[in-house]
Amino acid sequence: MLPNFKMEGERNKFIKILIVITCITAAVMELIDTSIVNVALTNISGTLGATLEDASWVVTAYAIANVIVIPLTGFLSRYFGRKNYYLASIILFTLASYMCGNAGSLWMLVFWRFVQGVGGGALLAVSQGILFDQFKPEEKGIAGGIFGMGIVIGPTIGPILGGYIVDNYHWALIFDINIPIGIVAALLTWKFVDKKADEYNIDRKSIPIDYIGILSLTIGIGALQYILEKGQSDDWFEDETIRYLTAAAILGLGLFIWWELTTKNPAINLRVMKSRNLIGSNILTFVCGFGLFGSVYLFPVMVQRVMGYTPTESGLSMIPGALVTIFAMPFIGAGLGKGIKPIYFVSLGFALFILHGYTSSQAAPDADKWWFIITQICRGVGTGCLTVPLLTQAVVGLKTEDMPYGISLNNMFRQLGGAFGIAIMNTYATNRFATHRMDLVSNLQENNPLLNERLYGITQGMIAKGMNPSIARQAANGVLDHSLSNQAQMQAYLDGFLLIAIFFVCTIPFMLLLKNETMDAETRAKVAAAAH
């Protein structure tokens, strides 16, 4: 009999590994798709005959759907059953990926990206709950570290993978690679993920649907996400659509907050926000999302536009940050499991992110890749120190039945922070470029001997290559103008990194809202069970 027990134990361990791989893969797949398309927009617009501005809807549609669904995952899991909802979401995500890769027009692609975002919304939060169920209470910290590793490296891998595909294959492969992964994840979920006791014979008639809350959240968050994604390109409040959607966001979110605080059966229980600890954790999580997505947006754009990197090279430059995250997250999770207070990791994460922003802002136009390796390592470890500890800290003091609401709100604040980060970095870099260019132009005086000497050298070089002298002079002015714009662009992006550091410094006081408590194994187990 002993050998049979041993074989059964080995089988359970194998199944546990399969489930862990499934959950991490599904979550990473969802997060990769938030950033993988960014580097392919030029190719997509060219292939489908659309403007680059219209092609950006491919990113916007996914983000809008994602940020609407994420806070509702707790309710949807209860209503349909966690396994059913998770499996349906994987299938929907995979089907939408296939349709995206085969879209014949831009707006068909945009539609299926929205559907993909609806399916992807569950892959993050529900994966977390299923993963945590596979570990004993004393192992929950390690589970958190493993899952947090996926949260951090997903947005980083996106540009790397997207850049390689765009440089070597057709952009449709960006979506098609999800198909085999999704099929395997769906089969493994169907076969090996067990239903919990409350998922059998669900009495849906006893679960009221908060139609007003869901509708007002959809309108408010959807409008806000559109404003953040399209505000810069549409000239913000100069655009009539932006003005109307601003009003819709204010009214929708205002109605949502009021209704959820007053109705008997809210879709999202905002009353948990009475917890000072949850408020502080959500604010700091927002900052974490702002820094992570803002820096991941800034870096590849800067090195491609200013320093001449290819999409593949810019993606590869981000690998060091991903690698250190892979190594750091299990140690962070183990530390939490052993009782190290989350505030220590949060403090270290803030310090490293401030260092990342400041160091990046000091880069020179001719900085080599080693300079950025240091900054990427700071970002990778810093984000790792913030992600899981802040989620753990968010639910300290909450009742077990309130934990799903606290976790879903925490996930939503991370996504909103990322949306704000990208939007603010885009707007800020554009405005700073105009300022730096104006400053540089104002310093160009016709009687400046250094300026005349440089123009003369460029002109003579072009004449030596056979260019007409009068045309060579105009071309030299063009070369100088391009160099000036390049310098102004570089300074604008560096200012963006400095802004990230300043943002982190300004929000340090919110750490005072956190309860400096160690979570015991039993409470961590409750967090794990509720983390879906």
Side-chain angles (χ1 to χ4, degrees):
M1 295 298 293
L2 290 178
N4 291 334
F5 282 124
K6 184 176 181 180
M7 290 177 63
E8 184 68 22
E10 292 296 326
R11 182 179 180 275
N12 291 337
K13 186 181 296 185
F14 178 69
I15 292 174
K16 175 180 177 179
I17 293 173
L18 286 178
I19 294 175
V20 169
I21 293 174
T22 300
C23 294
I24 294 297
T25 302
V28 171
M29 184 171 64
E30 194 278 333
L31 287 165
I32 285 175
D33 271 65
T34 63
S35 59
I36 193 172
V37 180
N38 295 353
V39 296
L41 291 181
T42 301
N43 297 66
I44 291 173
S45 63
T47 304
L48 298 180
T51 64
L52 187 60
E53 182 181 58
D54 287 340
S56 66
W57 269 101
V58 177
V59 177
T60 304
Y62 186 88
I64 290 175
N66 227 222
V67 81
I68 290 172
V69 172
I70 284 175
L72 294 173
T73 52
F75 163 75
L76 294 172
S77 294
R78 292 195 309 278
Y79 191 82
F80 295 106
R82 185 177 69 172
K83 178 178 178 178
N84 293 338
Y85 176 53
Y86 186 61
L87 180 59
S89 296
I90 292 175
I91 294 172
L92 183 63
F93 184 90
T94 305
L95 174 63
S97 297
Y98 171 80
M99 298 303 295
C100 286
N102 290 273
S105 68
L106 176 67
W107 299 113
M108 186 60 68
L109 175 58
V110 169
F111 170 78
W112 285 109
R113 273 287 281 179
F114 183 86
V115 176
Q116 189 188 41
V118 172
L123 300 187
L124 185 61
V126 183
S127 290
Q128 185 178 1
I130 295 174
L131 172 68
F132 275 34
D133 284 347
Q134 309 307 310
F135 290 84
K136 299 176 182 178
E138 63 271 15
E139 299 174 333
K140 300 300 183 183
I142 298 175
I146 294 173
F147 190 79
M149 180 174 63
I151 291 177
V152 175
I153 68 175
T156 305
I157 290 177
I160 300 172
L161 187 58
Y164 179 79
I165 290 173
V166 168
D167 282 343
N168 297 280
Y169 304 99
H170 192 274
W171 59 262
L173 186 59
I174 285 175
F175 304 108
D176 292 340
I177 59 174
N178 291 330
I179 297 172
I181 299 173
I183 291 174
V184 172
L187 290 174
L188 291 175
T189 300
W190 173 71
K191 181 67 175 177
F192 296 112
V193 174
D194 295 327
K195 290 184 177 180
K196 301 176 75 174
D198 58 1
E199 295 181 62
Y200 294 95
N201 302 317
I202 299 174
D203 183 11
R204 295 187 176 88
K205 293 182 180 180
S206 66
I207 304 177
I209 300 176
D210 181 13
Y211 292 104
I212 294 178
I214 294 173
L215 181 61
S216 59
L217 174 69
T218 302
I219 294 173
I221 292 293
L224 177 62
Q225 188 72 20
Y226 176 93
I227 294 166
L228 293 173
E229 295 280 345
K230 304 289 289 183
Q232 174 60 36
S233 61
D234 291 349
D235 202 20
W236 294 104
F237 297 109
E238 296 297 321
D239 181 73
E240 187 176 33
T241 302
I242 293 293
R243 292 199 297 270
Y244 283 136
L245 287 177
T246 300
I250 294 172
L251 292 174
L253 291 176
L255 174 61
F256 170 73
I257 293 171
W258 174 79
W259 181 260
E260 297 302 282
L261 290 175
T262 56
T263 190
K264 184 178 179 181
N265 297 294
I268 302 175
N269 185 11
L270 294 184
R271 297 183 186 91
V272 299
M273 290 295 286
K274 290 188 295 185
S275 166
R276 188 187 74 174
N277 194 68
L278 181 59
I279 293 174
S281 297
N282 285 344
I283 292 173
L284 297 178
T285 298
F286 179 91
V287 175
C288 178
F290 180 96
L292 173 60
F293 285 89
S295 61
V296 168
Y297 166 79
L298 272 182
F299 179 76
V301 172
M302 180 183 73
V303 295
Q304 287 183 57
R305 289 186 178 180
V306 180
M307 307 182 77
Y309 285 33
T310 65
T312 301
E313 288 174 335
S314 67
L316 291 174
S317 297
M318 302 180 74
I319 286 181
L323 288 178
V324 297
T325 303
I326 292 173
F327 286 108
M329 290 302 291
F331 289 104
I332 295 171
L336 291 171
K338 291 179 179 179
I340 297 178
K341 295 178 179 179
I343 188 63
Y344 296 152
F345 289 112
V346 173
S347 301
L348 177 60
F350 260 66
L352 288 172
F353 237 113
I354 292 168
L355 182 61
H356 160 71
Y358 176 77
T359 306
S360 297
S361 72
Q362 302 302 305
D366 58 349
D368 59 25
K369 294 179 181 179
W370 286 103
W371 176 279
F372 295 114
I373 286 177
I374 296 172
T375 65
Q376 293 299 314
I377 288 175
C378 289
R379 179 187 60 78
V381 179
T383 310
C385 288
L386 292 174
T387 306
V388 178
L390 280 175
L391 177 62
T392 304
Q393 191 73 47
V395 296
V396 170
L398 293 183
K399 298 178 181 177
T400 302
E401 62 270 21
D402 290 335
M403 286 182 180
Y405 298 110
I407 291 170
S408 63
L409 285 171
N410 194 259
N411 285 326
M412 184 184 74
F413 270 88
R414 184 187 302 108
Q415 294 298 109
L416 283 178
F420 271 89
I422 293 173
I424 291 176
M425 288 301 105
N426 192 19
T427 302
Y428 186 71
T430 300
N431 293 336
R432 294 301 296 166
F433 168 74
T435 300
H436 284 299
R437 179 176 168 78
M438 189 179 299
D439 291 341
L440 291 171
V441 169
S442 66
N443 291 326
L444 297 180
Q445 304 294 331
E446 291 185 4
N447 58 356
N448 188 322
L450 294 177
L451 172 63
N452 291 324
E453 182 180 341
R454 184 172 182 183
L455 282 173
Y456 178 78
I458 297 173
T459 303
Q460 292 303 309
M462 292 182 173
I463 293 174
K465 293 179 180 180
M467 186 177 289
N468 182 283
S470 60
I471 298 177
R473 177 69 180 187
Q474 294 178 359
N477 286 326
V479 170
L480 184 63
D481 182 75
H482 176 74
S483 176
L484 183 145
S485 295
N486 217 42
Q487 185 176 348
Q489 193 82 68
M490 181 73 174
Q491 289 299 319
Y493 291 133
L494 297 182
D495 287 349
F497 283 112
L498 185 60
L499 180 64
I500 290 175
I502 293 173
F503 196 73
F504 271 78
V505 170
C506 291
T507 50
I508 286 176
F510 288 102
M511 289 186 190
L512 299 176
L513 294 176
L514 301 183
K515 291 182 180 179
N516 194 13
E517 297 179 3
T518 301
M519 186 178 290
D520 57 36
E522 183 181 355
T523 305
R524 286 197 301 273
K526 293 178 181 178
V527 173
H532 61 279

